[in-house]
Amino acid sequence: MNLTSQQQALLNGAKGPAMAKVVKTLVMYGECFGAERMVPVTGANGHLVTSFGLSMLGPVYDLMDELLEDGALSGQSFSVDPRPLDPAVPANPLQKLLFKIMYSKQGDYEAQLRSMGLLDSDAFTCTCYQPEVGNRPRRGDILSWAESSAVVFANSVLGARCNRNSGIIEMFGSIAGFVPEFGLLTDEGRKATWIIEVDCKRKPEAQVLGSAIGMKVMEDVPYIKGLDRWLGRELTPDTQDYLKDMGAASASNGAVGLYHVDGITPEAVEQGEQLIAPDAQIYRIDDAELERIRSSYPIMWKNPGARPKLAFIGCPHLSSAQLAHWADAICDGLCASGNCRVQVPTVLTAAPSVADAFRKTVAYRRLSTTGTVVSSICPLMYTNNPLCGSMPIITNSNKLRTYSASRYYTDDEVLAYVTTGKPIK
Ligand code: F3S
């Protein structure tokens, strides 16, 4: 690793022992991946993945204390993934007690985050790039993030540059102000080694398409052709929402950190097929392939025929347009089925600032009479314990399906379930 004299001084302890350890860790991390130099982090803000004050994460809190006491603070303000708790989300008394014990360090940890450089008290979301949140990178920014759904969106849709870092390492990049240059930070690492030919007769469900791509290419970079037929050639807010959900599924069902979409995403618009590496492999996706992928998902419920006890919609968090769309769809669906209230307890999740703005609308007033909860919780954090993990939960999120026992349904199927209480035949 070739360090500048300034970076070498930090490594030698010029800004204290904690900063020296931070830099040493980044050097070792970079050397594992063959990085030869550090490059400055240029995004206005960082983003941290560790949002939860789990009682068992003692070493993390000790580490934060050490950094804070030694003045090794983040040079950037940062947003953080969603909080794990929200009393508005349905839970029985035993589950509530468990949350209290599991996340007993939440308040202390959030105080540490504030001292470290938290953007603001509303900055708890995985969709920090939504305009309302205020952490949207620009094209070409070098980031030090770890949240997989945010990394893949920033790289692919915004044209920023970020590796799929781990939690804590990403904070070290924000503290030091530089990150090792390798992988998705380089032109070479952004070349596509897979060509995905989308050849469907109807618009592919974003979450299943992303799942198919992720499971095939794993951590490689795909160049996706044929999606413009369904999405058009403009990066409209609707298209960004589609790509947000597709990308999150590809990042969780596989380990995709960057994709290019022919004619749509910024680098593909600019460089076209020059982004495709020689000898790229080809994967063709048609309706039958999507059906094969969908039917391969295991059903993890103890009783596959159980009536769902909860529906989570919004993992990653919904945009303001998606939130408004779901509110209308639920209200209209209930009217059509002759019901006044949702037939499965339903939680729509969005960033705090997106949810707060929505709570001021007429659509929210209408929705709130149906029993639907609007929250900024992370659904995965909710399910991440034996009591909630064993509940029959339905979701339109392929990420939540992958990391929990929740059962995946398409948007239409989830809507039918929550408005009629029955699955689509
Ligand atoms: Fe976001 Fe939590 Fe899902 S961080 S992507 S809501 S698992």
Side-chain angles (χ1 to χ4, degrees):
M1 180 77 74
N2 301 308
L3 298 180
T4 63
S5 52
Q6 221 178 3
Q7 292 161 354
Q8 187 65 49
L10 292 180
L11 182 61
N12 294 344
K15 281 204 178 165
M19 180 64 97
K21 283 192 220 172
V22 164
V23 176
K24 186 177 177 191
T25 307
L26 290 170
V27 168
M28 290 166 73
Y29 172 48
E31 284 176 348
C32 284
F33 290 94
E36 292 181 357
R37 61 174 188 161
M38 298 289 181
V39 286
V41 171
T42 62
N45 297 302
H47 181 82
L48 306 190
V49 75
T50 311
S51 62
F52 39 88
L54 263 180
S55 43
M56 64 181 71
L57 287 185
V60 171
Y61 314 129
D62 293 347
L63 170 75
M64 292 289 279
D65 276 341
E66 190 178 334
L67 292 167
L68 294 170
E69 277 161 23
D70 208 28
L73 306 183
S74 174
Q76 311 176 288
S77 300
F78 52 79
S79 45
V80 188
D81 262 5
R83 291 185 168 107
L85 297 169
D86 179 353
V89 174
N92 64 35
L94 208 53
Q95 289 168 330
K96 283 184 181 159
L97 180 65
L98 183 66
F99 289 146
K100 215 170 151 188
I101 297 168
M102 272 182 77
Y103 296 112
S104 60
K105 292 285 180 193
Q106 191 65 28
D108 296 344
Y109 180 54
E110 288 192 19
Q112 289 180 320
L113 289 175
R114 284 194 293 278
S115 303
M116 181 55 78
L118 182 64
L119 191 56
D120 61 59
S121 57
D122 267 357
F124 285 87
T125 176
C126 46
T127 55
C128 57
Y129 45 79
Q130 293 293 350
E132 297 86 348
V133 183
N135 186 4
R136 189 172 173 94
R138 294 158 307 180
R139 175 107 193 254
D141 273 342
I142 305 290
L143 310 178
S144 184
W145 293 8
E147 164 53 44
S148 66
S149 67
V151 167
V152 73
F153 187 89
N155 272 321
S156 312
V157 179
L158 303 179
R161 294 190 169 209
C162 186
N163 278 314
R164 280 184 54 127
N165 303 294
S166 67
I168 304 297
I169 284 276
E170 103 273 51
M171 181 174 70
F172 283 8
S174 288
I175 292 172
F178 48 79
V179 284
E181 184 184 48
F182 66 92
L184 298 177
L185 265 48
T186 67
D187 289 345
E188 203 46 38
R190 296 177 78 84
K191 288 258 156 96
T193 50
W194 281 91
I195 299 169
I196 310 295
E197 295 177 349
V198 178
D199 187 16
C200 298
K201 297 224 162 11
R202 42 178 197 272
K203 184 177 177 180
E205 197 79 20
Q207 297 271 358
V208 183
L209 178 62
S211 164
I213 293 171
M215 286 199 238
K216 177 63 82 177
V217 313
M218 297 309 293
E219 77 277 22
D220 289 347
V221 178
Y223 187 96
I224 306 167
K225 294 182 178 181
L227 253 190
D228 52 336
R229 180 179 166 204
W230 303 106
L231 303 182
R233 289 208 149 217
E234 247 185 274
L235 205 42
T236 61
D238 279 355
T239 294
Q240 292 185 38
D241 287 345
Y242 183 98
L243 295 179
K244 163 178 78 75
D245 293 337
M246 185 195 83
S250 72
S252 54
N253 286 225
V256 174
L258 163 69
Y259 56 82
H260 303 292
V261 185
D262 194 41
I264 300 179
T265 52
E267 281 155 88
V269 167
E270 200 170 275
Q271 301 176 53
E273 297 197 10
Q274 285 171 5
L275 281 169
I276 302 173
D279 304 324
Q281 302 178 73
I282 296 176
Y283 176 36
R284 185 174 163 274
I285 297 178
D286 58 14
D287 300 295
E289 176 64 356
L290 291 180
E291 190 44 48
R292 182 187 74 77
I293 293 291
R294 162 86 198 267
S295 55
S296 72
Y297 300 153
I299 298 168
M300 310 281 281
W301 292 0
K302 270 195 200 122
N303 170 11
R307 186 181 167 85
K309 287 210 168 132
L310 197 55
F312 271 122
I313 299 167
C315 165
H317 280 173
L318 300 169
S319 69
S320 55
Q322 288 178 313
L323 194 48
H325 162 80
W326 274 101
D328 285 348
I330 289 171
C331 293
D332 294 348
L334 287 173
C335 271
S337 59
N339 292 313
C340 298
R341 295 183 66 82
V342 282
Q343 301 298 294
V344 176
T346 299
V347 182
L348 302 179
T349 60
S353 47
V354 172
D356 283 348
F358 177 67
R359 288 191 187 99
K360 297 187 179 105
T361 65
V362 176
Y364 174 70
R365 253 180 275 144
R366 191 173 165 225
L367 180 74
S368 57
T369 64
T370 69
T372 304
V373 172
V374 175
S375 170
S376 296
I377 198 174
C378 169
L380 181 59
M381 290 294 109
Y382 176 95
T383 59
N384 206 5
N385 65 76
L387 289 184
C388 299
S390 59
M391 278 167 70
I393 295 174
I394 60 172
T395 180
N396 66 340
S397 165
N398 226 322
K399 178 170 180 177
L400 186 58
R401 172 198 74 80
T402 303
Y403 295 147
S404 74
S406 305
R407 195 159 165 184
Y408 172 79
Y409 286 96
T410 65
D411 289 357
D412 288 347
E413 290 166 343
V414 170
L415 181 64
Y417 236 138
V418 303
T419 54
T420 69
K422 298 185 205 89
I424 288 179
K425 287 277 179 258

